[in-house]
Structures are given as C-alpha cells and as structure tokens.
Amino acid sequence: MSISVPKGLSKEASLGRYKEKCMRVNENRSRATRGSASDIAQVLGVSKAAVSYALNGKPGISDETRRSIIELARAYGIEVPERATNMHTIPSLVGLVLADLSNPFYQELGVAVAEVARSHNLNTLLAHTGDRPKDLLSTVQTMTQHGVNGIILTATQDGDASVARLLRNANLPYVQVSRKMPTVRAAFVGIDNKNAAKDMALHMVSHGYKKIALAIGPRSSSASNERHVGYLEGLIESGLSTPTEWIVRTDLGTGGGYNAAKHFRSLKRGLPEAILCGSDAIAFGIIEDFNAHGISVPDDVAVGGFDGVTPAVWPGFSLTTIVQPIRAMADQAVVQLENLMRNERVKQTGIVCPYELHIGNSCRCQPI
C-alpha cells in the first residue's frame, strides 16, 4: 500500500491520519449494523410508532412501509420476530361490540360479522354493552388492552366522542355499523334510516290511518334518532300530527316493546290506529303484550317494525317492516376494517346499503 504524503507532513504523521480515518469508517459501519428503531425511522422518514407496528406485527401501516422497515431492520442486524412477517397468515383478532343482544337484529348481525370475519382469516372477540355508555367505554378499553387489531362498533352513542378519542389514541382502526357518532369522521356502514322510516310512515298513511303513534329506540342511538325524524317527516308530509304522549322512547329489545304497549294501553284518549316501531323487537313486544290483553294486531291496531330480523312465529302472521341487509352490512364492515388495518383509504363518508320495505299483514295488507 502506498500513501501520498501531503506537503509539510512527515510520512509517519500521514500514516497516523489514514489509520484514524479508517477507524472512523469502521466505527460508523459498526454503528449502522447496531442500528436502532430511531435510526430506521430517520432513514425511511417514518415515525417510531410505524417501526414498532412493523416489528411487532401490528396493523396501522401499509404493506410497502412494513416491508421496507423489516428489510432495513435485518440489514442493521435487528432481530425481526416471526409475528412481524406472518401477520397476514396468522389470524388477526378483531373486536365486535354489540349494543344489546336482547334485540334479534344484533344477534343476527353478530353471527354475520363473525362468519364473514372467519372467511377473511380473522378471529372475533364479541361483547355487548346493554346500550350503557359507561359499559361501552370500558368494553373498548378492555379490547384495546387484549390486543385486538381493530374493532367493529354497533353501540356508539350519539353526541359522545370519548370512544373515538380512546381508539385514536390507541391507533386502533374501527368501523361503525348501523349507528354512528355524527361529530366524528370515521368509517361507517349502514342504511338510510331516515328515508326508510319515511317510507314506512307513508305506507301506513296509505291505509287511511290518521292516529299514528311512535315507539322509538333510545336517544343515544343515532339510528333511532334518524328513524324518529323519518317517521315524523312522513306524517307531516301527509298532513298528520302525533301527540307527544303517542311518542315513546324505549329500549330496543322486546322489553322496550312491553313498556311501550303498557303506556299506550294506559292513555285516556284510547289506543292509536297504528304504531310505527324503531325495531322489530319493539314491535314483537307490543304485539305480545296486546295479544295478552285481548287487543288484536292488526284488527285493532296496525304495527310496523324496523330491521327485518327473523320474526317470532305466529300462524298466519307476518310483520310489515324495513329490512336491513345484514349480511351485506357485515361484508362491508369487515372489508372496511381490513382496509384500515392495512392503512388503506376507506370511504369515511359512509357506505349506505339498500333497504327494503317488506309487506306483511301486520298493517292489514295481504303479504307479498
């Protein structure tokens, strides 16, 4: 090896400088080999959180970013856990939070989501809140602590964004189904509740009914509030008004229907001609209570439901109702959540699925 000697330096001094330079180069190479998560983040221009997600097999980043992080980590000599490279082959865990399992709609939705999730190689952790806001928050907290990779929510509360804040802070993707937090911009799958309810109201009016009552779900439910508005719009458009005492807010299960029926039976002005319900479960509860007290549906009072769940079996009876496409909603919810878990864009304005007005004989129609 020959070393050129700069003017004014002895050969020994030049050799010393060369050795010092070689040591710095080797030191830098060694440091690079022992790179940290911070080094990876700086080199790739990503956050430290993104590096953590990639190396721990967590969702929240794109596949391309994940591959780049893993490749650089290996180049730095950082051990990459198996779960980081197998996250698409090992089933992920998704949470499913249902509002109230006493309502058959949530039972059927829960089964549909679990089946669709399984077909996507996803496992489902299911919980229900009984429509209690406090239980909703604690349920979501528990799911985040148990390592779910995403959550499907059907129990969000109108006007309460605390759950959204919790999920955002945990960087956990989620999709709202049927209900939504109106003040939060997030993925949503449901139907046009307002227009569906309006269609039902106009159908009842077409029978000539003028005394029409409402039995709606809780104010905490955005879906119930939209149905309330739709029913009223249909009645107002038809030139009808509904007394305040004929508008009942109740639970979405059959127990809510029993309570509504008891209220209607207690009114001094007598029973309405028809009752528009915020769920099929409410309708079933009203019908069962009325039957127990000698009030015939539809001969004495017509009843309309909402949801299109598998009805209780009464010979010769079928419920007029709005049918929600439960399986299609489950399909869309799982696909949306999977996209979010891969950090892909989703339609945050919401996916609106088509509904159907099913004609039974509970309104005095001949079933179609």
Side-chain angles (χ1 to χ4, degrees):
M1 176 190 304
S2 63
I3 303 174
S4 60
V5 181
K7 189 176 181 180
L9 284 181
S10 67
K11 187 172 182 179
E12 289 75 13
S14 291
L15 181 61
R17 283 191 176 185
Y18 178 77
K19 289 181 177 180
E20 184 181 344
K21 182 178 180 180
C22 288
M23 289 177 63
R24 285 199 302 268
V25 170
N26 289 333
E27 184 180 330
N28 289 337
R29 285 176 178 170
S30 177
R31 189 180 297 117
T33 302
R34 298 192 304 271
S36 65
S38 297
D39 296 326
I40 295 174
Q42 185 175 6
V43 169
L44 296 179
V46 299
S47 66
K48 292 180 183 178
V51 176
S52 175
Y53 299 152
L55 298 183
N56 288 285
K58 296 289 186 179
I61 58 175
S62 68
D63 289 344
E64 183 180 354
T65 299
R66 188 181 307 279
R67 283 193 297 270
S68 298
I69 291 171
I70 290 174
E71 287 175 5
L72 188 55
R74 285 172 171 161
Y76 279 166
I78 296 175
E79 184 179 354
V80 178
E82 185 179 355
R83 64 178 178 273
T85 55
N86 290 342
M87 74 165 294
H88 293 307
T89 58
I90 299 174
S92 295
L93 182 64
V94 297
L96 173 60
V97 183
L98 300 172
D100 189 352
L101 283 175
S102 69
N103 182 349
F105 169 75
Y106 292 111
Q107 297 172 19
E108 293 193 15
L109 182 62
V111 170
V113 168
E115 289 179 349
V116 174
R118 193 176 301 115
S119 71
H120 286 248
N121 203 35
L122 300 170
N123 292 324
T124 308
L125 179 63
L126 185 148
H128 97 115
T129 67
D131 248 342
R132 294 178 291 269
K134 183 179 178 182
D135 288 351
L136 170 60
L137 191 61
S138 63
T139 295
V140 172
Q141 285 175 327
T142 300
M143 285 187 170
T144 60
Q145 293 164 2
H146 279 73
V148 297
N149 302 112
I151 293 182
I152 294 176
L153 290 166
T154 73
T156 51
Q157 304 291 317
D158 194 359
D160 181 9
S162 57
V163 170
R165 286 193 295 270
L166 172 62
L167 291 168
R168 184 171 59 249
N169 291 338
N171 196 49
L172 198 64
Y174 66 96
V175 176
Q176 303 172 101
V177 178
S178 183
R179 297 183 186 183
K180 56 188 173 184
M181 295 170 278
T183 58
V184 176
R185 185 173 174 79
F188 168 75
V189 177
I191 68 166
D192 186 340
N193 285 290
K194 188 179 79 167
N195 279 326
K198 184 177 179 179
D199 286 348
M200 174 63 79
L202 293 175
H203 177 75
M204 285 294 190
V205 171
S206 72
H207 281 274
Y209 303 131
K210 297 187 182 302
K211 300 177 180 178
I212 301 177
L214 311 179
I216 308 296
R219 288 181 174 82
S220 59
S221 164
S222 65
S224 293
N225 293 335
E226 290 166 357
R227 293 169 195 179
H228 183 203
V229 171
Y231 283 144
L232 291 180
E233 281 192 5
L235 297 179
I236 292 170
E237 186 177 297
S238 304
L240 302 178
S241 61
T242 300
T244 302
E245 61 183 353
W246 274 0
I247 301 177
V248 177
R249 288 282 191 165
T250 188
D251 295 335
L252 287 166
T254 53
Y258 299 149
N259 292 334
K262 182 179 180 181
H263 170 79
F264 292 133
R265 288 190 289 101
S266 71
L267 297 178
K268 293 182 180 179
R269 68 170 64 223
L271 291 171
E273 296 174 305
I275 302 173
L276 302 174
C277 300
S279 72
D280 287 349
I282 292 175
F284 296 151
I286 289 174
I287 293 167
E288 289 178 2
D289 178 272
F290 280 2
N291 283 342
H293 289 85
I295 302 169
S296 173
V297 174
D299 294 339
D300 297 323
V301 180
V303 173
F306 204 112
D307 284 334
V309 298
T310 305
V313 178
W314 288 300
F317 178 86
S318 59
L319 185 67
T320 296
T321 186
I322 296 294
V323 179
Q324 297 201 67
I326 293 176
R327 181 69 186 208
M329 291 165 64
D331 282 333
Q332 291 288 354
V334 172
V335 169
Q336 290 284 84
L337 186 61
E338 234 183 356
N339 288 341
L340 287 169
M341 288 162 60
R342 291 174 178 157
N343 205 36
E344 297 176 7
R345 290 182 178 273
V346 300
K347 190 175 181 180
Q348 291 187 329
T349 53
I351 292 178
V352 180
C353 300
Y355 62 85
E356 175 191 350
L357 174 59
H358 171 77
I359 303 300
N361 58 13
S362 66
C363 59
R364 296 183 195 163
C365 277
Q366 289 300 317
I368 297 176

